[in-house]
Amino acid sequence: MAEAAPHGPGEVIYRGAEATLTTASRFGRLVVLKQRHPKAYRIAELETAIARGRMRNEARLLRRAREAGVSAPAVLDADPEAQTLVLEYLGRRALRESFDTMPGPLRRRAARAVGEAVGRLHKAGIIHGDLTTSNIILKGGTVHVLDFSLGQVGDRLEERAVDLKAFKDSFAATHLPHAADFGLVLEGYRAVLGAEGARVAAHIGKIERRRRYA
Amino acid sequence: MRGSEPSGFEVLANRVDMFRPAKGGIHPREAAEHHADLLPSLLAAAFEESGLSPGDLDVVCFSQGPGLGPCLRTAATTARALSLSFEVPLVGVNHCVSHLEVGRVLTDATDPLLLYASGGNTQIIAYAGGKYRVFGETLDVGLGNMLDKFALEVGLSFPGGPKVEELARRGQRYLELPYSVKGMDLAFSGILTAALALRKAGAGLADLCYSIQETCFAMLCETTERALAHARKDEVVIGGGVVQNKRLQAMVETMCRERGAKFFVPPRALLPDNGAMIALAGALEYRASGGIPLEASAVRQRYRTDQVAVTWRA
């Protein structure tokens, strides 16, 4: 499959609920500026606490993910005043856009590779907090994981299963024709985490049954 | 309820009598007894208010679930009896979906996302791929239940939401509470624990109520906004008892305005649980696919939103 052309500098890549991602030219290379939006619906005390916490958190978790061998954008600079992180540019197209139209074998391999990446994150004590295919870029067979702003450090069964359960729900809602491929995500996950991975996968069901009408 | 899409619906009568426990929380059996005691007089009042007689009915609709078994069975039994004795078809409605439909049909929304917050439920629902899907929801208790429990522990009466709203207006100091958002899901029980600990340590009730509202409602706004982005919707409607809160409405409105999404508030009487919303959702289904046979009318306490065959939007 042809790779989508990379962005030029000054393009808005994504305008999300939390932040806008814009490309820019810095340090002689293409980078991504991730600027958080303050939320007017939050009172100032809450907004400040959340903004500061999430930016610091994201920078820390990105570093930790890379140390654990998971491809994630390198943090090149951080400006707490402007609420902006300067991140390595990794590619144009999120897996969300390409997944449903990928040829079967490639798609299944991608699902498994995504599960392996999540497994490595969990193994390194990183809970991503917002796993969706919008936050994953697949390029040249490598899974890149983005947006750790809701992440946390943790290795408890419950935390891991909640992380995967949220991924399972968004995956099913986004990729209706291929919702069953989440089984391959779990397969990749278990391949990295072994018996512990199987326990986490089983715990997802427990969380689902705990919900009142789920 | 009279009408159809697209010409519109008219609420002919919408009688509500909410169960309020004498003390403590809701006991399913007591709530069901309340329903059974009041159903005959409520029905009579609804007939009188609407000016209809049983012969005018086209279809009888009831909430088939989710909910408390004894309460659901009380209403289902009544609905079956009405359907049999007046010889009109029966339609079983999903309670959560009816909140969304009443918001979609009775406002100018076309394909909205529903922020649904009540006692037992806190969900973000949208139509995707031929079904209503839950994009986000509470991982522990419904927001209303959390507010009720808080109210009970600090000596406020049931239901807790209105009391908390009133006290929150006098709050001045924000006390930090755990802000718990996981993707599009959220959790409230940690907030309750922290708030009660702060109360024990001497925090003022008004400040606590203010802080609880600001924290919980910001979490709702954030997950709703995430779900809007994820489900690619640009309209929000609200439903459930908790969304009657004016501060919450103002916050969701702000979120929508900043995002360029449209915000719709259904008529106030149709926000909390009510009969008209069940009638409206049932009417939509009835026009599209007819009634259900008696043997398919058993209540479903755990009736999931995504199990509903949405025949009327196909």
Side-chain angles (χ1 to χ4, degrees):
Chain A
M1 201 169 56
E3 299 282 359
H7 289 85
E11 268 188 71
V12 173
I13 301 181
Y14 182 69
R15 204 183 298 273
E18 296 297 297
T20 298
L21 304 184
T22 319
T23 51
S25 204
R26 293 270 174 96
F27 322 112
R29 62 199 280 193
L30 193 63
V31 298
V32 175
L33 304 180
K34 176 169 184 172
Q35 184 175 25
R36 278 187 50 86
H37 312 144
K39 297 290 175 189
Y41 62 77
R42 285 191 196 120
I43 53 171
E45 298 94 312
L46 192 53
E47 176 61 35
T48 311
I50 290 172
R52 194 174 304 146
R54 286 199 182 152
M55 192 169 147
R56 197 184 310 145
N57 196 37
E58 173 154 35
R60 186 177 55 140
L61 291 178
L62 282 170
R63 202 170 309 128
R64 204 171 164 139
R66 288 165 58 84
E67 283 165 9
V70 176
S71 177
V75 182
L76 305 172
D77 197 5
D79 181 350
E81 290 305 309
Q83 284 294 310
T84 302
L85 282 178
V86 182
L87 303 169
E88 176 188 9
Y89 175 84
L90 286 174
R92 172 175 279 273
R93 217 148 73 122
L95 184 60
R96 179 195 166 116
E97 311 300 334
S98 55
F99 190 76
D100 287 343
T101 54
M102 285 165 83
L106 209 60
R107 198 187 68 239
R108 286 188 285 275
R109 210 178 313 142
R112 212 186 130 89
V114 166
E116 288 168 8
V118 177
R120 281 198 296 276
L121 287 177
H122 282 190
K123 197 170 184 177
I126 300 168
I127 303 297
H128 183 277
D130 192 18
L131 288 170
T132 67
T133 49
S134 301
N135 283 335
I136 292 167
I137 288 178
L138 184 70
K139 205 171 67 172
T142 304
V143 172
H144 307 280
V145 186
L146 316 174
D147 193 0
F148 286 69
S149 56
L150 286 183
Q152 63 192 64
V153 172
D155 59 4
R156 284 172 25 233
L157 179 68
E158 172 81 9
E159 295 171 300
R160 287 173 167 175
V162 165
D163 206 22
L164 276 177
K165 181 256 170 202
F167 191 19
K168 183 183 175 189
D169 289 349
S170 73
F171 191 92
T174 317
H175 304 293
L176 300 175
H178 305 298
D181 284 351
F182 197 77
L184 294 165
V185 174
L186 290 179
E187 202 180 289
Y189 183 82
R190 283 193 299 263
V192 172
L193 276 174
E196 175 60 15
R199 271 195 295 279
V200 175
H203 197 71
I204 297 173
K206 280 197 192 125
I207 293 174
E208 287 170 341
R209 285 190 292 279
R210 198 190 297 157
R211 299 183 297 189
R212 281 197 66 188
Y213 308 120
Chain B
M1 180 70 68
R2 172 166 60 201
S4 63
E5 276 197 301
S7 53
F9 284 89
E10 185 190 350
V11 179
L12 301 177
N14 188 23
R15 292 284 170 155
V16 175
D17 189 317
M18 194 175 87
F19 173 61
R20 285 165 198 269
K23 69 178 199 345
I26 292 178
H27 189 293
R29 195 191 61 237
E30 288 173 8
E33 281 166 3
H34 158 273
H35 287 15
D37 287 346
L38 284 168
L39 261 167
S41 60
L42 275 182
L43 275 170
F47 273 119
E48 192 183 327
E49 183 185 341
S50 62
L52 299 178
S53 62
D56 299 322
L57 298 182
D58 296 314
V59 58
V60 173
C61 311
F62 70 103
S63 170
Q64 199 162 4
L68 299 171
C71 300
L72 289 170
R73 279 190 287 275
T74 304
T77 305
T78 309
R80 279 185 217 108
L82 292 172
S83 162
L84 285 171
S85 55
F86 301 147
E87 295 179 349
V88 289
L90 190 64
V91 170
V93 170
N94 178 289
H95 177 105
C96 304
V97 166
S98 78
H99 274 289
L100 193 146
E101 288 304 354
V102 88
R104 180 177 68 85
V105 173
L106 295 184
T107 66
D108 291 326
T110 53
D111 182 20
L113 180 128
L114 171 73
L115 168 60
Y116 170 32
S118 65
N121 293 298
T122 301
Q123 297 187 329
I124 297 160
I125 304 171
Y127 187 71
K131 278 182 177 176
Y132 283 118
R133 290 176 192 280
V134 177
F135 279 81
E137 68 187 306
T138 177
L139 293 168
D140 43 45
V141 295
L143 178 51
N145 276 356
M146 193 277 274
L147 295 172
D148 288 340
K149 277 183 197 157
F150 174 77
L152 191 64
E153 295 285 337
V154 300
L156 303 171
S157 59
F158 180 90
K163 306 286 181 326
V164 170
E165 179 172 13
E166 200 183 311
L167 282 164
R169 275 191 226 113
R170 286 190 265 137
Q172 290 178 342
R173 205 157 65 92
Y174 179 73
L175 308 165
E176 205 178 327
L177 293 169
Y179 186 93
S180 186
V181 164
K182 327 241 171 203
M184 288 178 279
D185 292 334
L186 18 77
F188 297 110
S189 59
I191 296 175
L192 177 66
T193 310
L196 292 176
L198 283 169
R199 178 67 181 154
K200 224 173 177 178
L205 203 49
D207 286 342
L208 260 184
C209 290
Y210 168 69
S211 306
I212 289 173
Q213 281 201 172
E214 291 302 323
T215 308
C216 295
F217 295 170
M219 286 162 53
L220 287 180
C221 287
E222 178 173 351
T223 46
T224 302
E225 187 168 10
R226 269 166 196 282
L228 278 173
H230 199 77
R232 306 204 166 161
K233 307 284 182 194
D234 55 9
E235 298 176 330
V236 175
V237 297
I238 52 175
V242 175
V243 305
Q244 295 173 95
N245 186 297
K246 291 293 176 205
R247 174 62 184 150
L248 174 57
Q249 290 187 9
M251 287 169 76
V252 178
E253 188 176 14
T254 303
M255 181 275 285
C256 288
R257 191 174 55 241
E258 284 196 324
R259 196 182 163 75
K262 290 187 200 143
F263 176 48
F264 299 95
V265 183
R268 192 181 171 91
L270 301 176
L271 288 177
D273 293 351
N274 64 88
M277 70 180 190
I278 301 293
L280 185 144
L284 295 174
E285 179 175 334
Y286 176 65
R287 301 260 179 206
S289 50
I292 58 170
L294 220 50
E295 57 274 19
S297 69
V299 303
R300 303 170 68 176
Q301 289 188 60
R302 298 171 75 89
Y303 194 0
R304 282 164 32 177
T305 300
D306 61 7
Q307 287 173 328
V308 179
V310 189
T311 50
W312 59 96
R313 283 191 72 175

